[in-house]
Amino acid sequence: MSEFQLDQEAYRQTACQAVAEGCVLIKNENKTLPLQKGDRVAVFGRMAANYYKSGLGSGGLVNTRYVTGILDALMASDGIRLDKKLLKIYEDWNASHPLDKGHGWGTVPWNQEEMPIDEATVAEAAEADDVALVIIGRTAGEDQDNAAKEGSYLLTATERDLIRKVSKHFTRTAVLLNVGNIIDMNWVEEDKVPAVMYVWQGGQEGGNGVLSVLTAEQSPSGKLSDTIAKSIQDYPSTANFGNQYENIYAEDIYVGYRYFETFAKDRVLYPFGFGLSYTTFKMAGQIAGDSDSPFVNISATVTNTGEYEGKEVAQLYVKKPQGALGQPARELVAFEKTRALLPGESTKVIFTIPKYAIASFDDSGVTGHKNAYVLEEGSYEFYLGSDVRSAQLIGSFRQEFAVVSQLEEIYAPVKPFKRMKPSVSGNYYELKYEDAPLRTIGAYERMEANKPQEIAYTGDRGIVLADVYHGKATMDEFLAQLSAEDLIVLFRGEGMSSPKVTPGTGSAFGGLSENLRHFGIPAGCTTDGPSGIRMDCGTKAFSLPNGTSLGCTFNVELVESLYAFEGKELRKNRIDALLGPGLNIHRNPLCGRNFEYISEDPVLTGKMGAAMIRGLSCVGSTGTIKHFMGNNQEYSRNDVNGVMSQRAAREIYLKGFEISVREGKARSVMTTYGPVNGIWTSSHYDLNTIVLRKEWGFDGIVMTDWWARGSIENQPGDRKCRAAMIAAGNNLYMVVDDQTDMKQDDILAAYQSGELTLGQLQENARSILGFLLKSPAMLYEMNEISQEELDERAIVEEGDIDFENIITYDSDEEGTLRIENPDWNPQQGDFEVFATNIQRKGMYNIRITAHSDLNDLAQLPISVSFDNQLRGILTFQGSNGAKVTKEMEISEVFAPTHYVKLYFGASGMVIDSVEIYWVHSIKAPFDDMEA
Ligand code: BGC
């Protein structure tokens, strides 16, 4: 098998395994699970028939070949006898209560109305069946946070009633949660539910993965990647979540279990790292470490003490001395999932932990070493176990004070605020607050002092990028040929759905203009996203389990191998960089994009991020780690300012990115829509240059989020403010309609005024070109593609067209064909096909006018095919109700009848008119013959 060959069956099996290993069994009494052979199973809940494969927004838009939900998988399973009568009741109810699909981006409801059930129906099923499964579904996503309300974070009264009745009548009742992120769990005890399992949103193989756990083909081995507290109010970030303009990160580093284990143990229902198995395990460990050694070595033994085969996660936590900085009671430093152990079998796990991984950042100078990672003096205790709460002390070592890494101040807050800090006596941690240290250095000082040297402009010397690739010319010599204008053009990516790259993708960047093409610069291609490849023209791709689900596997090797399949799929579709994984921290359970992100813990997030990038990079494409940094709520994401300390930034919000760059060799990063500490992330030099490049050694591209804003200190963010992005080290603006349009932003003016130098433009281009040199795009440019790879290339799959019922529209004599106010109500994935009767030969354009009530970050692509050939994509954005017209060339037309297909990549728009009109005459190939 060639390295490019994508083995779909192995892909499917690995995804299925990942779903299974992500399932977190929260409770399992009365031997409810696993299902036994021959069990008669009653399935309750209308969402059983409507599986959520992922969350909403850009991270969920994968056109899949199929989705196997939990009920589909149960129905296909031999050993399970389903209660058909009950299924029919739900089927009828579903038919008379169709799903509310919303009307596009940000408007899809979090839940669907549940069927009210009467006691007699449940009692009858309990008579007939052995076990009940209740399936509850939730979604949320981009531009749509969860809410602490019934139907979102809380169960609805109807759902509670259902769960209560079923748990009362069935001894064996298991509630399965098909959700994107954690939800309130008080009902588990209040409603006396015997068994509960989070099964998350598992992509197209979701149902099969869940089935393999339900039937004990494998024991559940997923662990919570977040703490589940008693109330949403218990999360320390809740008080500062969801504001329109500003979120103070007052909890500082005390996010998730770092807060709960330190200050509020009694507010926890299910601790971080927790998850049951059908079997049981025992763990023991030993530590070898001392003050002088750069590493701490820990060896652990995990033994399966139960009756089923199963995997366990050895989790290692550190308790550091409080010192002057103050520390959480526990911090995850390492973890490892074992292989499947037979009953009685043991395995050894070895952890080698660099001291840097247990150091803390002093942002105030209280240790005498400001802006340094330090180890404060004292005893470092290590706890080993299967969750943060039950982990047992396995040893400690004494450490003398040491500076591990002296750094510089970055991205510090300017607004004064109080942050949490423990005051400890004995084992008691009292919650206190201290002033967060503020910025002491101007936002632009270091940028001004370190402007890159300019390379003298030479003009065209005939060097193409391939010469740099082959070592025949240096990058400096190549760059010297590009004019300032070329360099500016290079900064702009085109999209969405640029015709210059793979159809339906997020952006094209690099050599898009004639001038840049002249220098042999290829067009690179990026596309979403975290749950599979998004191609808005309808091309099918594999849909993966969501980020939370993968986080809960705690299985780094498995995630890497799953993402290696996606890496091959990227290459097959000629995509250089996926726009994922998402590595923001689950700061609060209500963030709408938590499903895309991994965990409340930065080490778990970072190890998973690194694994995903390693996998994606297996045959030359890569991923884009996003959203760098601080995108922790969706509401007002363009504006809301995160006010956070440097310590919280470095130890929590940047850490996952850092691990992915250092250990995963990530070489593509996406900044966020909004500001942190007053400056939009796309325009912050500290973030994009000092931290990323200087400290972490990042060698790649940084891009904006789509149509994001830039900013200058003390001014509001603005889409045209882009010179500041280049100066900061954000290399690419995503996305514009036309890369060469110089009037669209402030860059040329900034260059002409001397504010932005040629050196800065060259340095920016160096990153983009350096990235392209390492990308498949370059191999295509040089025609260095093996036959094996060509054989594997994707074929665009069209949907089924019902040719019998197609309407034909006639053009007038001028050659204009108009469809006014068609009664189309396109939902994502719908398409409209019509035939033309055009009597005038010539070149034709298509012009579509549409409006949408959504906001301008909503992406509404329409792919236009002519006679089954994709001609291009018109990407509309939400227009707050205003009518917008977009057009493009569609084809040369010689004969009257053609088929036009419009494929709608997203819901939420109304088509006002479609016009196909004559542009100019053409000489048809047979004109001469006719003459
Ligand atoms: C999202 C990004 C995504 C981009 C392209 C934005 O709306 O925030 O995560 O990659 O769109 O679709």
Side-chain angles (χ1 to χ4, degrees), residues 58 105 142 496 528 534 579 593 626-627 637 670 673 705-706 857 859:
S58 63
W105 197 278
E142 188 167 350
M496 307 183 77
D528 284 315
R534 166 183 175 193
L579 302 175
R593 292 187 93 165
K626 69 187 188 183
H627 303 89
R637 61 188 168 144
M670 184 193 294
Y673 280 122
D705 201 337
W706 269 228
L857 293 184
Q859 303 160 3

Side-chain angles (χ1 to χ4, degrees), residues 452-455 479 482-491 722-723 726-727 731 747-748 750-752 756-769:
Q453 283 251 314
E454 176 170 321
I455 307 165
L479 283 171
L482 302 181
S483 67
E485 190 150 327
D486 285 335
L487 295 166
I488 293 172
V489 168
L490 194 58
F491 165 75
R722 299 185 196 158
I726 297 182
N731 311 116
I747 306 175
L748 189 58
Y751 171 68
Q752 284 165 346
L756 193 67
T757 66
L758 184 65
Q760 284 172 308
L761 290 171
Q762 288 166 332
E763 200 53 29
N764 196 65
R766 188 190 298 279
S767 296
I768 301 170
L769 298 173

